[in-house]
Amino acid sequence: MGKSKTNIVKTTTWSAGPGCHGGCGVLAHIKDNKLIKIEGDPDHPWNQGRLCARALAMTQYIDHHDRLKSPLKRVGKRGEDQFVEISWDEAFDIIEEKMKAIRDDFGPESMIFSMGTGRDIGPWICMLAYAYGSPNVMFALSGNACYSPRIAALDTVQGDYCVFDAAQWLPGRYDNPEYKVPECMIIWGYNISATCPDNLFGHWIIDLMKKGTKLITIDPRLSFFASRSKHWLQIRPGTDAALALGFLHVIIKEQLYDQNFLETFTDAPRLVRNDTGKLLRESDVLKNGSRDNFVVFDNQTNTIIIWNTHKQEYSNSRSTPSLTGLFEVELLNGKTITCATVWDKFKESCAEYTPEKVEKITLVLAKDIEKAARLYAKAKPASIHWGVPIDMTPEITPLCHAIASLWALTGNLDVPGGNVFTRSAFNAVAYALPGAEGVIKLKDQAQDKTRIGKDEYGPFNKFIWRCQTDKVIEQIFSEKPYPVKGLWMQTCNPLSGIGLDPKLWQKALEKLDFIVGVDLFMTPSLRYADIILPAATFLEKDGVRSWWVPLQTINKALTVDGCRPDVEINFELSKRFDPDFKWETIHDLFDEILKPSEMSFDQLSKKGWALPPENHASRPYFRHEKGLLRSDGMPGFATPSGKFELYSTLREKWGLEALPYFKEPPFTPISRPDLFKDYPLILGTGRRSPAFFHAEHRNIPWLRTLDPDPVVEIHPETARKNKISNGEWVIVENWMGKARFKAKVTKIVPPWMVMAAHGWWFPEKKDDPLFHTFESNINMLIPMNEQGKDGLGTPMKHLLCRIRKEVTGVKNNEI
Amino acid sequence: MKSNKNGLLIDYEYCTGCFACTVACCQEHGWEAPLSGMKVMEIVQDLPKDKAYLTFLPFPTELCVLCAKRTQKGLDPSCVKHCMANCLTYGNLRELALELEKKPRMVLWSPR
């Protein structure tokens, strides 16, 4: 035998493996079908040769002795560790039989398809659910509180999602002459460099800092960014909307907004009825007038004129709509009412949020609020980027509305170095994300009727093609309006990571008739599955990555015996469930997803990655001016009325407040002084660790050693008061439950708050089939069913708790 | 006078504590946890008025050999190549020393 050669495969990260949302170009060094080394691809525009700890630990991940390498069938009770190995054929046969029986007896909607985050699972789990006929695809977090609420909220008021611009759309990145480095950037509740969430590379912000971007950081913790900020606003968790309204107050009062944007691209002049508080519509004032058209007051002629939504123009093109004033308008029924403008109403919403008042609410000093607002508003360009804490509050949509108004009113929307719209490159869309119709979709809308939460919550009807998670759990127990019988659980470990109130999830899992789990390692949640299928890492599969930019392929570098990629598993079963399944091979499917790019999988794979061309709707900048955002090709935004909506027409339609506002979250010292007496500390959860992605990676030695224990951060003063020393085990508890953590006594947190790490279970503790998943699980303290009025958000970043030293000599599981 | 000794310039102002260097070293040299040629220290500095400042300092350990095999081939040490913040520079110590004058909050490290 000749000496075998090392082959270098260029591919793209998208978990499983690093766990994250991926995007990095890597060079996988393969010898004899083994990964011997992985490095960042220096030619790749995303990471430019860099690579994170989790990706660099791939050799330990792929060859891990605990990796699942055969399908398993449960032979004991749920939750026990009694499983036998079966073949893939047998596993598929059992799944097909059981799931078809559920479909025949109870209807396809009785099967829920559940995912966590990470992995390229979104499209493939939708493909399977839709082939089976169920609309119930579930992201298993309470209030669906990660990412899709932010997208839906922005789609609601500005028609498209947007992110900070780090030149990721441009060839040559920062050196591209089209690009401008932001003078200022607000980092809102984000330690993005730790885990690269939301399809962004965290260290792009460090690149920008080196190029001169000044930071404003909004974070209760002293993060890396907070230390290096011009202004660090140490906010009381959950009061972000008050702070955003405070910024708007300063910007409006000091007239730091972009007058041209306000007049041209917002709904500011529209009239709002003072009698109903609702928008005045053409149908209110003119016979045969449309409800879709709105009314403004023309300064020049002193008459009302109509904004025609279909034509995207005013009835008199030479009009100058008034932005302010009180107007009398005669309705069709002869009644005369008074109306104010949207701009006046919007200003009114911000007026009460003086810096002094906001200081009282947020604990951020009034002078710092003013300085930060001025720095942001005067910087050209400036950007804002926000983290998942924005989703993790029940009033998430009004909060997003307020923040979106900041970048819109300061003229920073879709400008170089500002906040730029995100569309899938070339409009190659794999599956239905908010705001996008994909290649993978329900066969017909009738199938969508039974989706849980769809009729109750506006955003779920319009933007979010998932079921509402809290409602699903409720329905598992109530069986109303129809019973939930089965669960497909892929990339999802609710007992350890994504499930709030995990004992409730445990009961729900116990109640179901049939559960399939797909994962790479045994997890506490998989112990409840009837059939377990072993999945593959990103290095063991082909795939496409159409998530903004660049458009990329994932290229198989090796195989691991016994494991199959998620896409192949779901493809095989989709064929079994749907006799009319559209695609013959996985590559046919990939080719169809990539079609808008005019490249096949093979072509793109050879090329590596592709950016959309100039003047394409998926490439910045100034798309609202160029008419690239709307399907009618007119300038403006993809909102129902074509303008950036300071007053949301959709929110009005859904019976919700149409203007941004702040409401104190449900479990804070202010809203629940009764609880605060017994639980005098604000509990924050989920600070990111660069070693782990949520509940993953505790079993990877190189990573675990970096962050070996579940940690709660406690300020020295608070530790002293509670007689706790650094490194001691403590109990964190509240009215929901308790969990044990190792005390990290540090000034990173303020005295009034503790921060507990999330996602902890102990894969090495094999004495318990559930790997002690309830022992150090901070979700034991967090309730479900606290979503906002639109079904979104959860109060998981701002609860209440107390801490005490753990009594020694008591067994871990009897704390 | 040119030194023939190389070292690492560490710009700790931009180290985010991501540990890419630590794990890159483990992969390159096959170290088993908790061994590594690079450690990252978290330093919470106390400042006046009860304020604090968070710094991470990448620190080459006794195990660091500056990736001799890589540098002989003209490659950067593995930690330098993968540093997510691009805050590590490998080079000639005298040349790197000149960089110290240009930017604050850096340290120069010379191998054993």
Side-chain angles (χ1 to χ4, degrees), chain A residues 386-405:
Chain A
W386 53 19
V388 77
I390 302 293
D391 295 312
M392 291 175 173
T393 195
E395 305 293 331
I396 173 259
T397 308
L399 166 59
C400 285
H401 193 177
I403 296 176
S405 304

Side-chain angles (χ1 to χ4, degrees), chain A residues 39 210 227-228 702 747, chain B residues 13 16 31 46 54 70 85:
Chain A
E39 299 207 298
K210 289 182 184 174
S227 271
R228 284 149 189 78
W702 286 338
K747 285 189 177 171
Chain B
E13 180 178 3
T16 64
W31 296 118
D46 285 305
L54 175 65
R70 288 179 64 97

Side-chain angles (χ1 to χ4, degrees), chain A residues 356-627:
Chain A
E356 293 71 29
K357 177 174 169 162
V358 176
E359 174 177 328
K360 285 201 185 89
I361 298 170
T362 62
L363 307 181
V364 178
L365 296 179
K367 66 174 173 35
D368 291 342
I369 296 165
E370 284 173 338
K371 282 184 197 161
R374 283 177 201 137
L375 174 61
Y376 170 73
K378 288 179 184 173
K380 298 286 176 246
S383 63
I384 300 178
H385 202 64
W386 53 19
V388 77
I390 302 293
D391 295 312
M392 291 175 173
T393 195
E395 305 293 331
I396 173 259
T397 308
L399 166 59
C400 285
H401 193 177
I403 296 176
S405 304
L406 282 168
W407 57 59
L409 291 179
T410 54
N412 281 306
L413 197 44
D414 219 36
V415 302
N419 280 77
V420 294
F421 292 120
T422 53
R423 290 196 174 176
S424 290
F426 304 92
N427 286 342
V429 183
Y431 70 119
L433 267 170
E437 177 101 319
V439 165
I440 292 162
K441 55 189 163 200
L442 277 168
K443 273 192 223 152
D444 65 73
Q445 278 307 302
Q447 280 184 314
D448 199 39
K449 270 192 183 153
T450 50
R451 184 156 53 87
I452 299 170
K454 167 182 170 282
D455 294 331
E456 201 165 336
Y457 298 120
F460 285 81
N461 208 326
K462 178 87 181 157
F463 299 119
I464 299 177
W465 313 115
R466 305 287 170 267
C467 39
Q468 207 286 344
T469 306
D470 304 83
K471 292 286 156 197
V472 172
I473 297 298
E474 221 174 75
Q475 190 167 329
I476 287 174
F477 296 111
S478 73
E479 305 194 355
K480 300 274 172 9
Y482 57 83
V484 173
K485 289 291 170 185
L487 180 69
W488 178 274
M489 194 166 60
Q490 196 163 13
T491 76
C492 188
N493 179 7
L495 296 189
S496 316
I498 200 166
L500 303 187
D501 193 359
K503 293 261 179 162
L504 184 71
W505 279 88
Q506 187 186 29
K507 283 195 197 102
L509 295 180
E510 277 165 358
K511 193 167 181 303
L512 297 170
D513 288 352
F514 185 63
I515 302 174
V516 182
V518 191
D519 227 316
L520 289 92
F521 295 97
M522 182 59 80
T523 68
S525 304
L526 284 194
R527 294 294 196 198
Y528 287 80
D530 295 86
I531 301 289
I532 295 171
L533 303 176
T537 70
F538 77 94
L539 289 168
E540 301 156 42
K541 69 184 173 192
D542 281 344
V544 291
R545 193 168 190 285
S546 72
W547 190 357
W548 312 341
V549 280
L551 188 65
Q552 310 184 74
T553 62
I554 302 166
N555 308 309
K556 190 182 276 192
L558 57 90
T559 53
V560 172
D561 282 346
C563 304
R564 292 200 191 179
D566 295 288
V567 59
E568 289 181 23
I569 293 169
N570 294 18
F571 200 86
E572 163 74 25
L573 282 166
S574 295
K575 280 184 171 174
R576 290 184 182 221
F577 290 130
D578 180 5
D580 304 322
F581 190 63
K582 205 172 160 189
W583 301 283
E584 272 300 309
T585 69
I586 288 167
H587 285 89
D588 293 342
L589 168 62
F590 294 164
D591 287 346
E592 187 171 336
I593 293 168
L594 295 174
K595 209 172 170 185
S597 73
E598 296 174 0
M599 281 178 283
S600 66
F601 175 86
D602 289 336
Q603 287 167 323
L604 181 59
S605 174
K606 281 196 192 84
K607 199 174 151 80
W609 46 271
L611 295 168
E614 281 181 48
N615 291 317
H616 193 276
S618 63
R619 185 192 193 275
Y621 300 98
F622 306 107
R623 280 166 282 185
H624 54 293
E625 292 179 15
K626 295 175 186 164

Side-chain angles (χ1 to χ4, degrees), chain A residues 37-40 49-53 56 203 206 210 222-224 227-228 690 701-702 705-706 744 747-748, chain B residues 13-20 23 26-28 31 33-34 42 46 50 53-54 70 81-86:
Chain A
K37 189 193 276 194
I38 186 166
E39 299 207 298
R50 301 173 267 187
L51 206 58
C52 75
L56 287 163
H203 284 74
I206 285 83
K210 289 182 184 174
L222 178 72
S223 65
F224 165 87
S227 271
R228 284 149 189 78
W702 286 338
T705 191
L706 303 172
K744 179 175 177 178
K747 285 189 177 171
I748 283 175
Chain B
E13 180 178 3
Y14 292 113
C15 174
T16 64
C18 78
F19 297 112
V23 180
C26 290
Q27 178 185 237
E28 188 68 29
W31 296 118
E42 179 183 298
D46 285 305
D50 210 26
Y53 191 93
L54 175 65
R70 288 179 64 97
K81 176 188 164 29
H82 287 108
C83 175
M84 301 267 278
N86 287 329

